[in-house]
Amino acid sequence: MQKKFAVKDTLAESRVFLSRVVAAFAFMFLLTLGLVVRLIYLQIVGHEHYAMLAKDNRIKIAPLPPTRGIIYDRHGRILAENLPSYSLELIPEQVKDLDDTLTRLQSLLDISDEQIEQFDKQRHRRKSFSSTPLLLRMSDEEVAKFAAVRPYFPGVDIQARLVRYYPYGELASHVVGYVGRINERELKSLPVSEYRGTNHIGKIGIEKTYEEYLHGTTGYAEIETNAQGRSVNSVDALDPVPGANLYLTLDIDLQKTAYDALGDYNGAAVAIEIDSGDVLVFASRPGFDPNPFVYGISRKAYKALQESDDQPLFNRALRGQYPPGSTMKPFIGLAGLEYNATDFQHKLFCPGYYQLPNVSHKYRDWKRWGHGWMDLKDAITQSCDVYFYDLALTLGIDNMHEFLDKFGFGRKSGIDLVGEQAGLLPSREWKRAKRNQPWYPGETLITGIGQGFTQVTPLQLARATATLANHGRIVTPYLVDRIIGTNYTIPGPAQSGEVIALKQRNIEDIVMAMVNVVHGARGTAKRIADGIDYQIAGKTGTAQVFSVKQEEKYNEEEIEFKLRDHALFIAIAPAHAPKIAVAVVVENGGHGGSVAAPIAGKIIKQYLGSNEGSPDEE
C-alpha cells in the first residue's frame, strides 16, 4: 500500500510568524510610549506635586507657639505675665517600665493620682517619642530632689517652660480672668494652624475677650526626620510673632481699696472716669486665685469653689442683678421734671404710707412714722418712698420705662468683657410677653422706688450715674486703653457722643439734691463728707431680698443674714466738675448710708487725692 506525505505550507507559516512579531513590536511600542508619557508627567508636569510629597516624607512642620502678651494696669503694673517654670516630663518609649517609674516618682515628689490620670490622657494623644508633662510648676525643692536621682530615671527629665502668672491673685481675677487648657469643644472651633503647639486659651475676662491679640501668631520650623519620624536636623524656620500687650484703664490701687473696703461682705464696686469712660475700679468680692486654673485646678479645689455659698467664681460687677432700690430715685425724679409730672416746689405729705384710690393696701415708707411735708429735694435727701410712689403713679409705667431706657437700664452697657447681663427694665409689653398678665398700678408704685421687677447690674448703675454726671452725654465704659503689638498700636474706643435730650436746669437740680444726701444735715450719707474740700453728690439705696407682709415689721437682727436687705450707693464727684462716678452694691449690707456709702467714699477720696489741686476750682 502506498504511503501519503503532507505538504508543508512555508508561506502560511511565515505570514503567521510575521503577524505575531508585528503584534509583539506594536505592544512593546505602546508600553514604551506609555512609560515615556508617564515619565514626562512625573518629571515635568507633576514634578512640583510629587517633589512636595517627597519632601513631606522627609520634612515635618513643627509649630513654634508665640509668647502670650502681657496685661498691665493704667500705671504700667503687671496684672498677667509669663514666668519661667520647670516641669517634669517623660518620653514614654524611653521608659522601660512606665508603671514602676510613675510609682517611684509619686513617692519621691508627692504626685497625685489626678496628675497621673492627666498625664495618661496627654500621652495617649502624642507619639511615644514625644515629651509629655507629668508635674508642672515644680518648686526648687522638687527640682533638687529629682536632680539627685536623675540617673535612675531614664526617659524622665526636667524642662523649662513659660507659665501664665497673675501677681494680684483674687484682686483682679474677675477682670483679667485666666487661661486654661484647651478643651475638646474649643479645639473644634479654633483655627488649627494658629493653635498647633498651643495648650492654653483665655477662659474668662480680658484673657478671653482679647484672646485674638494676646495669643500672637504661631511660627513654624521645618524639621528633617528619619524613617521613624524622629527629628534629625532643623532645615528652616518662621519665627512666631508674640502676642500684643494690653494696657487697661483699671487702677489696681483703687481696685485694692474697693476690694478691701468690702471687707467680709459679698458685693461689687464699679468706678468710671466720666470724660473718657475708663473703668477705674471693677471689683467683685469674693474673688478667687486664678493661678491654679492655668494648668488644671484639682477637682476637690474646683468643687469647693463651685459649691461655696459665697460664689467666688461669680462676677457680681458684670453679671450680678439686683433691685436698685432708692438709687433709682434721682432718675425717677429727673423723669418727673422732664415730663412735667412734678417740680421742685411741689410738696406732698408723707404719713409713712401710701394708698391707691379706693384700695385698702398700704404701701409703706421706710420711715414708719413718715417724713411730713416733702418736696423733690427733700424726698431725694431723705429718700422718702411716699413721694416717689405718688410721682411714679403720675408718670406711669410707660413714661418711666421710656426714660430709664435712655440711661441704659435693661440693656448691656457695651463694655469690652464677655458675659455681661442686661438686667431687667419692666414694661407692660414685657409682662404680657413673659407672664401673660396685665400691668397693675401697684407695680408702677414699687417700680418708682427701684423695687419690684427691676434688676440692674453694678456696672449699669455706674454707667447711668456717669451719664447723669455727664449732663446726658452717654458714657460707654471700657477696660482696654490700648493694644500694643509688634508692628501696630490700637487705641481704646472713642465715646459715641450720643446725648440724651435733657433740660440742663433739671439735671443741676437733681445733682444738688444728691449733694444734700451727702452734705445736708438730714442726708442719708452725710458721714462720708468728713475731711474733704469738695462736694460729693450721692444717693443711698436699700433693696429688699424678700417681701415683708402688710402687718409685719422688718427686724434685721432677727432674720437670717442672707435674707437681709442689700445696701447700695451711687456717687458723683466732685459734684460741680464731675470726674468720677461710682456704684457700690453690698449684698445683705442692710443700709446704703452706713455700709455702701463709706466704700464709695474711700474710692473717691483716693482718686481725687491723686489729682493736683481742688477739682472744684477748675
Coordinates of all heavy atoms in Angstrom, one line a residue, residues 44-115:
I44 N 8.1 66.3 34.6 CA 7.8 67.7 34.2 C 6.5 68.2 34.7 O 6.4 69.2 35.4 CB 7.9 67.8 32.6 CG1 9.3 67.3 32.1 CG2 7.5 69.2 32.1 CD1 9.3 67.3 30.6
V45 N 5.4 67.6 34.2 CA 4.1 68.1 34.6 C 3.8 68.0 36.1 O 3.4 68.9 36.8 CB 3.0 67.3 33.8 CG1 1.6 67.8 34.2 CG2 3.2 67.5 32.3
G46 N 4.1 66.8 36.7 CA 3.8 66.6 38.1 C 5.0 66.8 39.0 O 4.9 66.3 40.2
H47 N 6.0 67.4 38.6 CA 7.2 67.5 39.3 C 7.0 68.2 40.7 O 7.4 67.7 41.8 CB 8.3 68.2 38.5 CG 9.5 68.6 39.4 ND1 10.4 67.7 39.8 CD2 9.9 69.8 39.9 CE1 11.4 68.3 40.5 NE2 11.0 69.5 40.6
E48 N 6.4 69.3 40.6 CA 6.2 70.1 41.9 C 5.4 69.4 42.9 O 5.7 69.4 44.1 CB 5.5 71.5 41.5 CG 5.4 72.4 42.7 CD 4.8 73.7 42.3 OE1 4.7 74.0 41.1 OE2 4.5 74.5 43.2
H49 N 4.3 68.7 42.4 CA 3.4 68.0 43.4 C 4.2 66.8 44.0 O 4.1 66.7 45.3 CB 2.2 67.5 42.6 CG 1.3 66.5 43.4 ND1 0.6 67.0 44.5 CD2 1.1 65.2 43.3 CE1 -0.1 66.0 45.0 NE2 0.2 64.9 44.3
Y50 N 4.8 66.0 43.3 CA 5.5 64.9 43.8 C 6.7 65.2 44.6 O 7.1 64.5 45.5 CB 5.8 63.8 42.7 CG 4.6 63.2 42.2 CD1 4.0 63.6 41.0 CD2 3.9 62.2 42.9 CE1 2.8 63.0 40.5 CE2 2.8 61.6 42.5 CZ 2.2 62.0 41.3 OH 1.0 61.4 40.9
A51 N 7.4 66.3 44.2 CA 8.5 66.8 45.0 C 8.1 67.2 46.4 O 8.8 67.0 47.4 CB 9.2 67.9 44.3
M52 N 6.9 67.8 46.5 CA 6.3 68.2 47.7 C 6.0 67.0 48.6 O 6.3 67.0 49.8 CB 5.1 69.1 47.5 CG 4.5 69.6 48.8 SD 5.6 70.8 49.7 CE 5.6 72.2 48.6
L53 N 5.4 66.0 48.0 CA 5.1 64.8 48.7 C 6.4 64.1 49.3 O 6.4 63.6 50.4 CB 4.3 63.8 47.9 CG 2.9 64.2 47.5 CD1 2.3 63.1 46.6 CD2 2.0 64.4 48.7
A54 N 7.4 64.1 48.4 CA 8.6 63.5 48.9 C 9.3 64.3 50.0 O 9.8 63.7 51.0 CB 9.6 63.5 47.7
K55 N 9.1 65.6 49.9 CA 9.7 66.5 51.0 C 8.9 66.3 52.3 O 9.5 66.2 53.4 CB 9.6 67.9 50.6 CG 10.2 68.9 51.6 CD 10.1 70.3 51.1 CE 10.8 71.3 52.1 NZ 10.7 72.7 51.7
D56 N 7.6 66.1 52.1 CA 6.8 65.9 53.3 C 7.1 64.6 54.0 O 7.0 64.4 55.3 CB 5.3 65.8 53.0 CG 4.8 67.2 52.7 OD1 5.5 68.2 53.1 OD2 3.7 67.4 52.1
N57 N 7.6 63.6 53.3 CA 8.0 62.3 53.9 C 9.3 62.5 54.7 O 9.7 61.7 55.6 CB 8.2 61.2 52.8 CG 6.9 60.7 52.3 OD1 5.9 60.7 53.1 ND2 6.9 60.3 51.1
R58 N 10.1 63.5 54.3 CA 11.4 63.8 54.9 C 11.4 65.0 55.9 O 12.1 65.0 56.9 CB 12.4 64.0 53.8 CG 13.8 64.3 54.3 CD 14.8 64.4 53.1 NE 14.4 65.6 52.3 CZ 14.9 66.8 52.5 NH1 15.7 67.0 53.5 NH2 14.5 67.8 51.7
I59 N 10.5 65.9 55.6 CA 10.4 67.2 56.4 C 9.1 67.2 57.1 O 8.0 67.1 56.6 CB 10.6 68.4 55.5 CG1 11.9 68.4 54.7 CG2 10.5 69.7 56.4 CD1 13.1 68.4 55.6
K60 N 9.2 67.5 58.4 CA 8.0 67.7 59.3 C 7.9 69.1 59.7 O 8.9 69.8 60.0 CB 8.0 66.8 60.5 CG 8.0 65.3 60.2 CD 6.7 64.9 59.5 CE 6.7 63.4 59.2 NZ 5.5 63.0 58.5
I61 N 6.7 69.7 59.7 CA 6.4 71.0 60.1 C 6.1 71.1 61.6 O 5.1 70.5 62.0 CB 5.3 71.7 59.3 CG1 5.6 71.6 57.8 CG2 5.1 73.1 59.7 CD1 6.8 72.3 57.3
A62 N 7.0 71.7 62.4 CA 6.7 71.8 63.8 C 6.3 73.2 64.2 O 7.0 74.1 63.8 CB 8.0 71.4 64.6
P63 N 5.2 73.3 64.9 CA 4.7 74.7 65.2 C 5.6 75.3 66.3 O 6.1 74.6 67.2 CB 3.3 74.4 65.8 CG 3.3 73.0 66.3 CD 4.3 72.3 65.4
L64 N 5.8 76.6 66.2 CA 6.5 77.4 67.2 C 5.5 78.3 67.9 O 5.2 79.3 67.4 CB 7.7 78.1 66.6 CG 8.7 77.3 65.9 CD1 9.7 78.3 65.2 CD2 9.4 76.4 66.8
P65 N 5.0 77.9 69.1 CA 4.0 78.7 69.7 C 4.5 80.1 70.1 O 5.6 80.2 70.6 CB 3.5 77.9 71.0 CG 4.7 77.0 71.2 CD 5.3 76.7 69.9
P66 N 3.7 81.2 70.0 CA 4.2 82.5 70.4 C 4.1 82.7 71.9 O 3.4 82.0 72.6 CB 3.2 83.4 69.6 CG 1.9 82.6 69.6 CD 2.3 81.2 69.4
T67 N 4.8 83.7 72.3 CA 4.7 84.1 73.7 C 3.5 85.0 73.9 O 3.2 85.9 73.2 CB 6.0 84.9 74.1 OG1 7.1 84.2 73.9 CG2 5.9 85.3 75.6
R68 N 2.7 84.7 74.9 CA 1.4 85.4 75.2 C 1.7 86.8 75.7 O 2.7 87.1 76.4 CB 0.6 84.7 76.2 CG -0.9 85.1 76.3 CD -1.7 84.2 77.1 NE -3.1 84.6 77.1 CZ -4.0 84.2 76.2 NH1 -3.6 83.5 75.2 NH2 -5.3 84.6 76.3
G69 N 0.9 87.8 75.2 CA 1.0 89.2 75.6 C 0.9 89.4 77.1 O 0.2 88.7 77.8
I70 N 1.5 90.5 77.6 CA 1.4 90.9 79.0 C 0.2 91.9 79.2 O -0.1 92.6 78.3 CB 2.7 91.6 79.4 CG1 3.9 90.7 79.0 CG2 2.7 91.8 80.9 CD1 3.9 89.4 79.6
I71 N -0.4 91.8 80.3 CA -1.5 92.7 80.6 C -1.1 93.6 81.8 O -0.6 93.2 82.8 CB -2.8 91.9 81.1 CG1 -3.2 91.0 79.9 CG2 -3.9 92.9 81.4 CD1 -4.4 90.1 80.3
Y72 N -1.3 94.9 81.6 CA -0.8 96.0 82.5 C -2.1 96.8 83.0 O -3.1 96.8 82.3 CB 0.2 96.9 81.9 CG 1.4 96.3 81.4 CD1 1.5 95.8 80.1 CD2 2.6 96.2 82.2 CE1 2.7 95.3 79.6 CE2 3.8 95.7 81.7 CZ 3.8 95.2 80.4 OH 5.0 94.7 79.9
D73 N -1.9 97.4 84.2 CA -3.0 98.4 84.6 C -2.6 99.7 84.0 O -1.7 99.9 83.2 CB -3.1 98.4 86.1 CG -2.2 99.3 86.8 OD1 -1.1 99.6 86.3 OD2 -2.5 99.8 87.9
R74 N -3.4 100.8 84.3 CA -3.2 102.1 83.7 C -1.9 102.7 84.1 O -1.4 103.6 83.4 CB -4.4 103.0 84.1 CG -4.4 103.4 85.5 CD -5.7 104.1 85.9 NE -5.9 105.4 85.2 CZ -6.8 105.7 84.3 NH1 -7.6 104.7 83.9 NH2 -6.9 106.9 83.8
H75 N -1.3 102.3 85.2 CA 0.0 102.8 85.6 C 1.2 101.9 85.2 O 2.3 102.1 85.7 CB 0.0 103.1 87.1 CG -1.0 104.1 87.5 ND1 -1.0 105.4 87.1 CD2 -2.1 103.9 88.3 CE1 -2.1 106.0 87.6 NE2 -2.7 105.2 88.4
G76 N 1.0 100.9 84.4 CA 2.0 100.0 84.0 C 2.4 98.9 84.9 O 3.4 98.2 84.7
R77 N 1.5 98.6 85.9 CA 1.8 97.5 86.8 C 1.2 96.2 86.2 O 0.1 96.2 85.6 CB 1.1 97.7 88.2 CG 2.0 98.6 89.0 CD 1.2 99.3 90.2 NE 0.3 100.3 89.7 CZ -0.2 101.3 90.4 NH1 0.2 101.4 91.7 NH2 -1.0 102.1 89.9
I78 N 2.0 95.1 86.3 CA 1.7 93.9 85.6 C 0.6 93.2 86.3 O 0.7 92.9 87.5 CB 2.9 93.0 85.5 CG1 4.0 93.6 84.6 CG2 2.6 91.6 84.9 CD1 5.3 92.9 84.5
L79 N -0.5 92.8 85.5 CA -1.6 92.1 86.0 C -1.6 90.6 85.6 O -2.2 89.8 86.2 CB -2.9 92.7 85.6 CG -3.1 94.2 85.9 CD1 -4.5 94.7 85.4 CD2 -3.0 94.4 87.4
A80 N -0.9 90.4 84.4 CA -0.8 89.0 83.9 C 0.5 88.9 83.1 O 0.8 89.7 82.3 CB -1.9 88.6 83.0
E81 N 1.4 88.0 83.5 CA 2.7 87.8 82.9 C 3.0 86.4 82.6 O 2.3 85.5 83.0 CB 3.8 88.5 83.7 CG 3.9 87.9 85.1 CD 4.9 88.6 86.0 OE1 5.9 89.1 85.5 OE2 4.7 88.6 87.2
N82 N 4.2 86.1 82.0 CA 4.7 84.8 81.7 C 6.0 84.6 82.5 O 6.9 85.3 82.3 CB 4.9 84.6 80.2 CG 3.7 85.0 79.4 OD1 2.6 84.4 79.6 ND2 3.9 85.9 78.4
L83 N 6.0 83.6 83.4 CA 7.2 83.3 84.1 C 7.8 82.0 83.8 O 7.0 81.0 83.5 CB 6.8 83.4 85.6 CG 6.4 84.7 86.2 CD1 6.1 84.5 87.7 CD2 7.4 85.8 86.0
P84 N 9.1 81.9 83.8 CA 9.7 80.6 83.5 C 9.4 79.6 84.7 O 9.4 80.0 85.8 CB 11.2 80.9 83.5 CG 11.4 82.2 84.2 CD 10.1 82.9 84.0
S85 N 9.1 78.4 84.3 CA 8.8 77.4 85.3 C 9.4 76.0 84.8 O 9.6 75.8 83.6 CB 7.3 77.3 85.4 OG 6.9 76.3 86.3
Y86 N 9.6 75.2 85.8 CA 10.2 73.9 85.5 C 9.1 72.8 85.5 O 8.2 72.8 86.4 CB 11.3 73.5 86.4 CG 12.5 74.4 86.3 CD1 12.8 75.4 87.2 CD2 13.4 74.3 85.2 CE1 13.9 76.3 87.0 CE2 14.5 75.1 85.0 CZ 14.7 76.1 86.0 OH 15.8 76.9 85.8
S87 N 9.1 71.9 84.6 CA 8.1 70.8 84.6 C 8.9 69.5 84.4 O 9.9 69.4 83.7 CB 7.1 71.0 83.4 OG 7.8 71.0 82.2
L88 N 8.3 68.5 85.0 CA 8.9 67.1 84.9 C 8.2 66.4 83.8 O 7.0 66.3 83.8 CB 8.6 66.3 86.2 CG 9.3 65.0 86.3 CD1 10.8 65.1 86.4 CD2 8.8 64.2 87.5
E89 N 9.0 65.9 82.8 CA 8.4 65.4 81.6 C 9.0 64.0 81.3 O 10.2 63.7 81.6 CB 8.6 66.3 80.4 CG 8.0 67.7 80.7 CD 7.9 68.6 79.4 OE1 8.2 68.1 78.3 OE2 7.6 69.8 79.6
L90 N 8.2 63.1 80.6 CA 8.6 61.8 80.3 C 8.5 61.6 78.8 O 7.6 62.1 78.2 CB 7.7 60.7 81.0 CG 7.9 60.5 82.5 CD1 7.3 61.6 83.3 CD2 7.3 59.2 82.9
I91 N 9.4 60.8 78.3 CA 9.3 60.3 76.9 C 9.0 58.8 77.0 O 9.9 58.0 77.3 CB 10.7 60.5 76.1 CG1 11.0 62.0 76.1 CG2 10.5 59.9 74.7 CD1 12.3 62.3 75.4
P92 N 7.7 58.4 76.8 CA 7.3 57.0 77.1 C 8.1 55.9 76.5 O 8.4 54.9 77.2 CB 5.9 57.0 76.6 CG 5.4 58.5 76.7 CD 6.6 59.3 76.4
E93 N 8.6 56.1 75.3 CA 9.3 55.0 74.6 C 10.7 54.7 75.3 O 11.3 53.7 75.1 CB 9.4 55.2 73.1 CG 10.5 56.2 72.7 CD 10.8 56.1 71.3 OE1 10.1 55.5 70.5 OE2 11.9 56.7 70.9
Q94 N 11.2 55.7 76.0 CA 12.5 55.6 76.7 C 12.4 55.0 78.1 O 13.4 54.8 78.8 CB 13.2 56.9 76.7 CG 13.6 57.4 75.3 CD 14.3 58.7 75.3 OE1 14.7 59.2 76.4 NE2 14.5 59.4 74.1
V95 N 11.1 54.9 78.5 CA 10.9 54.3 79.9 C 10.5 52.9 79.8 O 9.5 52.5 79.2 CB 9.8 55.1 80.6 CG1 9.5 54.6 82.0 CG2 10.1 56.6 80.7
K96 N 11.3 52.0 80.3 CA 11.1 50.5 80.1 C 9.9 50.1 80.9 O 9.0 49.4 80.3 CB 12.3 49.8 80.6 CG 13.6 49.9 79.8 CD 14.7 49.1 80.3 CE 16.0 49.3 79.4 NZ 17.1 48.5 79.8
D97 N 9.7 50.5 82.1 CA 8.6 50.1 82.9 C 7.9 51.4 83.4 O 8.2 51.9 84.4 CB 9.0 49.2 84.1 CG 7.8 48.6 84.9 OD1 6.7 49.1 84.7 OD2 8.0 47.6 85.6
L98 N 6.9 51.8 82.6 CA 6.2 53.1 82.9 C 5.5 53.1 84.2 O 5.6 54.1 85.0 CB 5.3 53.4 81.8 CG 4.6 54.8 81.8 CD1 5.6 55.9 81.8 CD2 3.6 54.9 80.6
D99 N 4.8 52.0 84.5 CA 4.0 51.9 85.8 C 5.0 52.0 87.0 O 4.7 52.8 88.0 CB 3.2 50.7 85.8 CG 2.1 50.7 84.8 OD1 1.6 51.8 84.4 OD2 1.6 49.6 84.5
D100 N 6.1 51.3 86.9 CA 7.0 51.3 88.0 C 7.7 52.7 88.2 O 7.8 53.2 89.3 CB 8.1 50.3 87.8 CG 9.2 50.3 88.9 OD1 8.9 50.0 90.1 OD2 10.3 50.7 88.6
T101 N 8.0 53.3 87.0 CA 8.6 54.7 87.1 C 7.6 55.7 87.7 O 8.0 56.5 88.5 CB 9.0 55.1 85.6 OG1 9.9 54.2 85.1 CG2 9.5 56.5 85.6
L102 N 6.4 55.6 87.3 CA 5.4 56.6 87.8 C 5.2 56.4 89.3 O 5.0 57.3 90.1 CB 4.0 56.4 87.1 CG 4.0 56.8 85.6 CD1 2.7 56.5 85.0 CD2 4.3 58.3 85.5
T103 N 5.2 55.1 89.8 CA 5.0 54.8 91.2 C 6.2 55.4 92.0 O 6.0 56.0 93.1 CB 4.9 53.3 91.4 OG1 3.8 52.8 90.7 CG2 4.8 53.0 92.9
R104 N 7.4 55.2 91.5 CA 8.6 55.7 92.2 C 8.6 57.3 92.2 O 9.0 57.9 93.2 CB 9.9 55.2 91.6 CG 10.1 53.7 91.8 CD 11.5 53.2 91.4 NE 11.6 53.3 89.9 CZ 12.7 53.8 89.3 NH1 13.7 54.3 90.0 NH2 12.7 53.8 88.0
L105 N 8.2 57.9 91.1 CA 8.1 59.3 91.0 C 7.0 59.9 92.0 O 7.2 60.9 92.6 CB 7.8 59.8 89.6 CG 8.9 59.7 88.6 CD1 8.4 60.0 87.2 CD2 10.1 60.6 89.0
Q106 N 5.9 59.1 92.1 CA 4.9 59.6 93.0 C 5.4 59.6 94.5 O 5.1 60.6 95.2 CB 3.7 58.6 93.0 CG 2.6 59.0 92.0 CD 1.3 58.2 92.1 OE1 1.3 57.0 91.9 NE2 0.3 58.8 92.5
S107 N 6.1 58.6 94.9 CA 6.6 58.6 96.2 C 7.7 59.6 96.5 O 7.9 60.1 97.6 CB 7.1 57.2 96.6 OG 8.2 56.8 95.7
L108 N 8.5 59.9 95.4 CA 9.6 60.9 95.5 C 9.1 62.3 95.6 O 9.5 63.1 96.4 CB 10.5 60.7 94.3 CG 11.7 61.7 94.3 CD1 12.7 61.5 95.4 CD2 12.4 61.6 92.9
L109 N 8.1 62.6 94.7 CA 7.7 64.0 94.5 C 6.2 64.3 94.9 O 5.7 65.4 94.7 CB 7.9 64.5 93.1 CG 9.3 64.4 92.5 CD1 9.3 64.7 91.1 CD2 10.2 65.3 93.3
D110 N 5.6 63.3 95.6 CA 4.2 63.5 96.0 C 3.3 64.0 94.9 O 2.6 65.0 95.0 CB 4.2 64.6 97.2 CG 2.8 64.5 97.9 OD1 2.2 63.5 97.9 OD2 2.5 65.6 98.5
I111 N 3.3 63.2 93.8 CA 2.4 63.4 92.7 C 1.1 62.7 92.9 O 1.0 61.6 93.3 CB 3.1 62.9 91.4 CG1 4.4 63.6 91.2 CG2 2.2 63.1 90.2 CD1 5.3 63.0 90.1
S112 N 0.0 63.5 92.7 CA -1.3 62.9 93.0 C -1.8 62.0 91.9 O -1.3 62.0 90.8 CB -2.3 64.1 93.1 OG -2.5 64.7 91.9
D113 N -2.8 61.2 92.2 CA -3.4 60.2 91.2 C -4.1 61.0 90.1 O -4.1 60.6 89.0 CB -4.5 59.4 91.9 CG -3.8 58.3 92.9 OD1 -2.6 58.0 92.7 OD2 -4.5 57.9 93.8
E114 N -4.6 62.2 90.4 CA -5.2 63.0 89.4 C -4.2 63.5 88.4 O -4.5 63.6 87.2 CB -5.9 64.2 90.1 CG -6.9 65.0 89.2 CD -7.7 66.1 89.9 OE1 -7.8 65.9 91.2 OE2 -8.1 67.0 89.3
Q115 N -3.0 63.8 88.9 CA -1.9 64.3 88.0 C -1.5 63.1 87.1 O -1.2 63.3 85.9 CB -0.8 64.8 88.8 CG -1.1 66.2 89.4 CD 0.0 66.6 90.3 OE1 0.4 65.9 91.2 NE2 0.5 67.9 90.2

